[in-house]
Amino acid sequence: MSSFLLPMAGGLGLFLYGMKLMSDGLEKAAGARLRGILEFFTTNRFSGMLVGIFFTAIIQSSSASTVMVVSFVNAGLMNLSQAAGVILGANIGTTVTSQLVAFNLSDAAPVFLMSGVIMVMFVQNPRIKKAGEVVLGFGVLFTGLTTMSSTMSFLKDSPAVMQALSGLDNHFAAVLIGFVITAVLQSSSVTVSIVLLMASQGLLGLSICFFIILGCNMGSCVSALLASLSGKKNAKRAAVIHFLFNVFGSAAIFTMLSLFLGPITETILHISRGNVGRSVANAHTFFKIFEVLIMFPSTGLIVKLAEKIVPGDEAKPARSDLNFIGEYRSPISAIPQVRQEISRMAELANKNLELAFHAFLNCSTKHLGEIYQREEEIDSLSQKITDFLVNSNLHELPVGDREILGSMFYAVGDIERIGDLAENFADSARSAADHNSRLSKDAKRELVNMYNAVSALLKDAVVIFKEHKKEMIPDFYKHEQAIDAMERRYQKRHLNRMAQGICEPRAGLLFSDMLSSLERIADHGTNVAFSVMDHADEELLTES
């Protein structure tokens, strides 16, 4: 028995590792670009479905796709209708792996292995190294398949095994087996590939394979359900949508198979030219396409049902808590999640600046308690985001994302500094109120002009950072330069007023500090906006 189990376990281990190496390599090599496609082209359900097919076919993992969709929904980057389209497409895209396995490229495995090793070990370019991981994973995968296939061939000589497998004719039991194995392995592609090998060796009848595949379809939902546990209600609903699609679709196919099993089996065999392995792969693809065709028109109803299963409005989280970053996430989703979180932090800092400035202008202490409380929340949020960035930096990320992650460290620091300067304004407001320090009308007017210009710049900075709108950079840069010139001009006018005795000394000092602080806030806001740029974008500044 050990002569069978050890090679089988080794082959399965190679297959699983090859799958992971391929999927992770593809995510790292092309993840950032694939994420951009996903963000841009999921404007409606149909385009989302096409992107889901393409995306999942590339990374060869519907689990990875649906986990990322759940992360995007949690970050507010995708609504439930768009998510439903991507999930439908992912169901079709995941069948690519079984189709590749059915082609039996085992003879070419050594070529893939050697090519992948050369690319990984002897090439310095990060993208080529990651592509090498994909090629290496492909070779490891088919090496594992060869090992499992040769091991399974010996099972045919065991009467006990053949009797047990030939006795598997309970359709519900077959569905349960497919569900459990896929839930454990968290990959329907792996389970279907194993079933394909067993069918090719004559260990499983083709008909019973169809029902195991249905179980695989439902078992593939476990990853998304786990990913949603720590997320918002909409993230949970996205995972439920994935589950409902597969359950209802599998139920419809189960009914059809129960009624017309013979004709369906013969048809698929005929299309596959009698090749049993190809028949399993084709059945997997046909079932998924059929599910999408029957479920796509009722997507709206599925979304509504998911909203009933996960009822209620989103609980309002504490401002110091992470809103968009969940515990379970995919490497591709890290950047958009952090971007959303940092943007929210910037909005809190802007709100504090607004309250603190008007408190100073009106010599009021009314909102100072709220300002100090929000500043503590900004500091807490800054620490949590920084911890997440540090943790993410320790893990493998898509090529290009590590540099973006580095710029986000600085963006968090700049926003925290804006919050600190807003707190200083609150201190100045208390001081002005305690000493009844009054500014002249001209000083007030100039401060208001300066604040309005800085406030507008900060709002633009958040838009540029959050939506990655580099095209706004030239006008933004001109705006920042105008603020610098405004600060110098107003400081000179202020010195003239001080010399003429128009402004009292204490108020005059506060005015000068406020102008300088507002200019520094504009600098920090500029750093946040410029964090979206790379070396190739420096011409945006020269053009302006």
Side-chain angles (χ1 to χ4, degrees):
M1 191 67 176
S2 61
S3 62
F4 159 74
L5 289 178
L6 289 178
M8 185 65 186
L12 178 59
L14 285 173
F15 186 85
L16 289 170
Y17 181 66
M19 280 286 295
K20 179 173 175 53
L21 206 56
M22 282 177 62
S23 180
D24 290 354
L26 283 161
E27 282 191 56
K28 295 165 196 170
R33 293 183 180 181
L34 291 173
R35 182 180 63 232
I37 293 171
L38 193 65
E39 289 176 326
F40 186 78
F41 288 104
T42 53
T43 51
N44 62 65
R45 202 179 304 156
F46 182 74
S47 63
M49 185 184 72
L50 296 179
V51 170
I53 294 172
F54 171 75
F55 188 93
T56 310
I58 292 293
I59 65 172
Q60 298 197 24
S61 175
S62 62
S63 296
S65 297
T66 50
V67 166
M68 191 174 67
V69 166
V70 168
S71 299
F72 272 45
V73 171
N74 195 58
L77 299 170
M78 189 180 290
N79 61 40
L80 285 178
S81 181
Q82 293 166 336
V86 177
I87 289 168
L88 281 174
N91 280 347
I92 296 176
T94 192
T95 65
V96 169
T97 304
S98 58
Q99 291 291 345
L100 288 173
V101 171
F103 278 114
N104 192 12
L105 300 175
S106 300
D107 292 342
V111 177
F112 287 112
L113 282 171
M114 194 61 210
S115 301
V117 167
I118 291 171
M119 293 169 73
V120 170
M121 294 187 65
F122 302 110
V123 178
Q124 298 303 316
N125 186 295
R127 291 192 183 277
I128 295 179
K129 287 178 78 74
K130 298 307 178 188
E133 289 183 15
V134 178
V135 176
L136 180 60
F138 206 71
V140 171
L141 183 151
F142 278 100
T143 301
L145 277 176
T146 302
T147 304
M148 285 194 293
S149 181
S150 60
T151 305
M152 286 178 187
S153 64
F154 290 107
L155 290 179
K156 291 188 290 186
D157 299 329
S158 172
V161 172
M162 291 302 296
Q163 184 177 355
L165 291 175
S166 62
L168 181 61
D169 57 359
N170 187 305
H171 297 169
F172 287 101
V175 171
L176 182 61
I177 289 170
F179 178 85
V180 171
I181 295 175
T182 304
V184 172
L185 298 179
Q186 295 197 20
S187 174
S188 61
S189 298
V190 173
T191 313
V192 172
S193 297
I194 294 171
V195 171
L196 186 154
L197 286 179
M198 295 182 74
S200 298
Q201 294 291 342
L203 297 171
L204 284 176
L206 181 57
S207 299
I208 204 67
C209 291
F210 296 163
F211 293 96
I212 296 176
I213 288 172
L214 296 183
C216 295
N217 291 348
M218 291 182 283
S220 65
C221 303
V222 171
S223 297
L225 290 170
L226 289 174
S228 71
L229 292 179
S230 62
K232 298 180 181 179
K233 286 186 181 292
N234 269 349
K236 292 182 173 69
R237 288 167 184 151
V240 169
I241 288 170
H242 184 214
F243 183 69
L244 292 176
F245 273 136
N246 283 316
V247 168
F248 289 151
S250 296
I253 295 174
F254 185 95
T255 303
M256 286 184 58
L257 287 174
S258 299
L259 295 174
F260 310 106
L261 184 56
I264 291 174
T265 304
E266 290 176 8
T267 301
I268 292 177
L269 262 175
H270 177 72
I271 292 172
S272 308
R273 297 182 180 180
N275 186 312
V276 177
R278 291 221 55 79
S279 296
V280 173
N282 288 336
H284 190 207
T285 302
F286 294 157
F287 291 171
K288 290 291 191 179
I289 293 173
F290 181 75
E291 282 182 18
V292 170
L293 289 175
I294 62 173
M295 298 305 297
F296 187 82
S298 57
T299 302
L301 296 175
I302 297 293
V303 171
K304 289 180 180 178
L305 180 57
E307 290 171 343
K308 289 189 177 296
I309 293 173
V310 185
D313 296 326
E314 201 69 57
K316 192 173 182 180
R319 287 188 301 226
S320 60
D321 289 341
L322 297 173
N323 283 12
F324 303 107
I325 298 172
E327 292 296 323
Y328 197 99
R329 46 195 173 258
S330 72
I332 297 180
S333 66
I335 294 299
Q337 285 180 314
V338 177
R339 186 179 290 126
Q340 291 287 95
E341 209 70 73
I342 293 176
S343 299
R344 186 173 71 89
M345 179 183 166
E347 289 165 2
L348 292 175
N350 288 353
K351 181 63 177 177
N352 250 15
L353 177 62
E354 178 187 353
L355 291 176
F357 176 78
H358 287 99
F360 172 81
L361 202 65
N362 300 316
C363 289
S364 170
T365 60
K366 181 179 178 181
H367 295 291
L368 297 191
E370 178 185 346
I371 292 168
Y372 293 134
Q373 174 63 32
R374 187 180 282 108
E375 171 57 20
E376 291 180 6
E377 293 164 352
I378 291 170
D379 289 342
S380 174
L381 194 57
S382 169
Q383 185 60 54
K384 291 175 181 177
I385 295 173
T386 300
D387 289 344
F388 173 76
L389 289 171
V390 170
N391 185 57
S392 297
N393 207 39
L394 296 175
H395 295 81
E396 288 286 351
L397 295 169
V399 176
D401 277 7
R402 195 171 296 279
E403 185 177 343
I404 297 173
L405 214 64
S407 69
M408 287 182 167
F409 275 106
Y410 295 108
V412 172
D414 281 302
I415 293 168
E416 185 180 18
R417 188 62 187 134
I418 291 172
D420 292 340
L421 289 168
E423 185 179 32
N424 292 346
F425 283 10
D427 295 338
S428 297
R430 187 182 297 280
S431 176
D434 290 345
H435 296 90
N436 195 28
S437 301
R438 299 288 175 179
L439 296 172
S440 67
K441 289 183 179 180
D442 287 341
K444 277 190 173 184
R445 176 177 53 79
E446 289 171 358
L447 266 184
V448 169
N449 289 342
M450 185 77 172
Y451 166 76
N452 287 339
V454 171
S455 178
L457 179 137
L458 290 180
K459 289 176 182 175
D460 286 344
V462 173
V463 171
I464 291 170
F465 178 83
K466 188 175 182 179
E467 301 179 21
H468 221 254
K469 290 196 171 183
K470 294 182 181 181
E471 65 273 15
M472 292 175 62
I473 292 289
D475 289 338
F476 180 90
Y477 184 52
K478 291 176 182 176
H479 189 173
E480 194 270 337
Q481 289 180 312
I483 288 173
D484 289 345
M486 185 185 295
E487 192 261 345
R488 291 192 296 269
R489 186 167 65 252
Y490 286 169
Q491 290 284 16
K492 288 180 181 179
R493 291 181 184 176
H494 169 64
L495 289 175
N496 291 334
R497 286 194 296 270
M498 291 285 288
Q500 297 171 23
I502 297 174
C503 280
E504 58 180 86
R506 180 180 296 275
L509 288 173
L510 288 175
F511 173 85
S512 183
D513 286 344
M514 290 286 280
L515 274 183
S516 297
S517 294
L518 284 169
E519 191 274 332
R520 282 155 58 200
I521 287 172
D523 288 342
H524 289 300
T526 300
N527 292 340
V528 173
F530 285 3
S531 68
V532 304
M533 298 170 56
D534 52 36
H535 296 301
D537 298 318
E538 291 179 358
E539 61 185 26
L540 292 172
L541 300 182
T542 58
E543 288 174 3
S544 62

